[in-house]
Amino acid sequence: MKTIFSGIQPSGILTLGNYLGAMKHFVPLQDEFNCFYCIVDQHAITVPQEPAVLKENIRRLAALYLAVGLDPEKVTLFIQSEVPAHAKLGWIMLCTSYVGELERMTQFKDKSSGRGESVPGGLLAYPPLMAADILLYNTDFVPVGEDQKQHLELTRDLATRFNHRYGEIFTIPDVRVAEVGARIMSLQDGTKKMSKSDPNQGGFISMLDDPDTIVKKVKRAQTDSDNAIRFDKENKPAISNLLTIYSLCSGKTIAELEAMYEGKGYGAFKSDLAEVVVDTLKPIQDRFHELFSSPELDEILSAGAEKANKVAGEMLHKVETAMGMARL
Ligand code: TYM
């Protein structure tokens, strides 16, 4: 059976972008693949986090993973910091990287810009840690949104470089990016990615937003100058983004939606869209609230850490042996 690995940062409440671009796709994969899904808290601390908030966000993310439909009997769900092999292989992958290639990462450039001398070192070391996450599990496929493609290319380069030096240790993973929804854009700027760290709350829908908030955010969403509901990414990025969200939440194709709203204005379209988003998130939210404070959640995470430690520990040992670091 082929293996899947993916991770999400507990750095805020997940957005509809995280859901439509990544999480939603994790669910059907659990029936076909050996899946490892990770709460990457060590990635989250590459920028400062408030301890109490981080703790809550880790638990929220764990509950959300399950609430969207992942079955702990089928997948391994775990917290990165509970599996020490990640940090250890992360260091080895950092030593396999060149500063030049790390500085070229778009996310590094975005996140470090404007910080002057105070760019956290962890931001530069972030992609090698991500490579370690993936490579520890003999991963075949990594389902992610489009923004992670460059990190995946680097992972493949580092794995190939390592194998070249030390023998065929790592499986070279392939990226899996959804055809639709791999880049959900901000509701306030159709040219900018929807992000949980956007200071403008109106730019994103959180997976835990209540129905009133969702309705307000959709109503205030940016539209384009003319009144036509038509998919045209180049010239009408805002409405194209809303159509993508509508399509993914309703299961209707973009062409069906264009036909449904031909000659109708943005008002009707937006109020239907808000309803569809609320209907998508409501069952997830209900399940989330049941899980969040349940002892079952801790049991699932403990079992996940145990399983992940076993698999990752074996790979780390293989790597250290190949490098001459394992005594036994
Ligand atoms: P993160 O936490 O930023 O995002 C989690 C997942 O959501 C996707 N995503 C989006 N998809 C579509 N539209 C958007 N607006 C949008 N925003 C986010 C991301 O592409 C991602 O799939 N570095 C990763 C976490 C990570 C990881 C890994 C992923 C760490 N180790 C190993 C895969 C494998 C990140 O910051 O994702």
Side-chain angles (χ1 to χ4, degrees):
M1 197 188 252
K2 300 264 188 199
T3 300
I4 294 267
F5 183 97
S6 203
I8 300 181
Q9 293 193 60
S11 53
I13 302 180
L14 297 207
T15 68
L16 192 62
N18 295 122
Y19 178 60
L20 298 177
M23 254 192 173
K24 186 176 191 277
H25 307 286
F26 295 171
V27 184
L29 295 171
Q30 66 185 340
D31 296 315
E32 263 183 85
F33 297 96
N34 180 24
C35 297
F36 291 86
Y37 293 123
C38 188
I39 296 154
V40 292
D41 54 348
Q42 288 167 319
H43 280 93
I45 60 161
T46 52
V47 293
Q49 300 285 338
E50 198 56 53
V53 176
L54 179 62
K55 195 169 179 182
E56 170 138 351
N57 282 338
I58 290 172
R59 202 171 170 84
R60 274 188 178 146
L61 177 51
L64 272 175
Y65 262 121
L66 298 171
V68 300
L70 290 181
D71 176 352
E73 297 289 320
K74 295 183 185 161
V75 308
T76 307
L77 176 65
F78 69 101
I79 301 172
Q80 185 183 31
S81 61
E82 294 184 3
V83 182
H86 286 252
K88 289 185 167 185
L89 187 63
W91 173 251
I92 293 171
M93 286 296 115
L94 182 61
C95 296
T96 309
S97 313
Y98 304 129
V99 171
E101 66 193 349
L102 300 182
E103 282 176 341
R104 272 200 301 279
M105 293 291 112
T106 322
Q107 267 196 6
F108 171 72
K109 287 196 239 169
D110 289 349
K111 291 197 176 177
S112 58
S113 85
R115 290 183 188 246
E117 288 274 288
S118 314
V119 176
L123 283 182
L124 193 67
Y126 183 112
L129 178 61
M130 180 162 161
D133 299 340
I134 297 165
L135 299 175
L136 278 171
Y137 298 90
N138 277 314
T139 302
D140 296 289
F141 302 111
V142 184
V144 280
E146 204 171 271
D147 60 340
Q148 298 301 317
K149 261 167 107 173
Q150 195 187 28
H151 289 159
L152 254 296
E153 277 158 30
L154 181 74
T155 299
R156 290 169 57 87
D157 287 350
L158 296 181
T160 308
R161 191 176 301 157
F162 186 95
N163 282 355
H164 196 66
R165 278 188 203 155
Y166 299 108
E168 291 301 306
I169 306 287
F170 295 130
T171 302
I172 311 295
D174 279 317
V175 66
R176 271 204 168 199
V177 175
E179 268 170 40
V180 184
R183 193 170 174 82
I184 300 293
M185 310 309 274
S186 159
L187 298 184
Q188 292 298 323
D189 180 351
T191 61
K192 222 177 81 189
K193 186 187 79 168
M194 181 182 282
S195 161
K196 49 184 167 326
S197 51
D198 190 341
N200 180 355
Q201 298 273 320
F204 61 87
I205 292 175
S206 140
M207 286 181 74
L208 299 177
D209 275 345
D210 58 49
D212 283 351
T213 308
I214 295 174
V215 171
K216 275 190 203 127
K217 286 182 178 177
V218 172
K219 286 212 165 125
R220 287 193 202 128
Q222 186 196 42
T223 44
D224 306 290
S225 49
D226 68 24
N227 219 17
I229 294 161
R230 185 167 45 80
F231 190 89
D232 177 350
K233 235 178 178 168
E234 284 282 294
N235 302 307
K236 292 169 70 69
I239 203 73
S240 301
N241 185 44
L242 297 183
L243 275 166
T244 303
I245 295 173
Y246 198 146
S247 167
L248 288 167
C249 290
S250 67
K252 293 195 168 72
T253 64
I254 304 255
E256 280 169 342
L257 294 171
E258 285 175 334
M260 259 170 78
Y261 291 98
E262 200 178 342
K264 294 191 183 149
Y266 288 143
F269 172 75
K270 281 183 166 181
S271 68
D272 292 352
L273 170 60
E275 200 179 311
V276 168
V277 174
V278 169
D279 289 348
T280 301
L281 294 180
K282 179 78 174 50
I284 297 174
Q285 294 177 353
D286 290 348
R287 180 91 184 105
F288 167 85
H289 291 298
E290 282 165 27
L291 283 158
F292 183 75
S293 39
S294 74
E296 189 197 346
L297 189 59
D298 291 297
E299 285 160 23
I300 292 167
L301 290 171
S302 298
E306 198 181 322
K307 179 146 177 241
N309 265 306
K310 192 169 173 299
V311 179
E314 278 168 21
M315 176 54 91
L316 182 68
H317 186 67
K318 210 166 142 187
V319 168
E320 290 183 336
T321 303
M323 296 177 77
M325 291 198 295
R327 199 160 47 79
L328 296 174

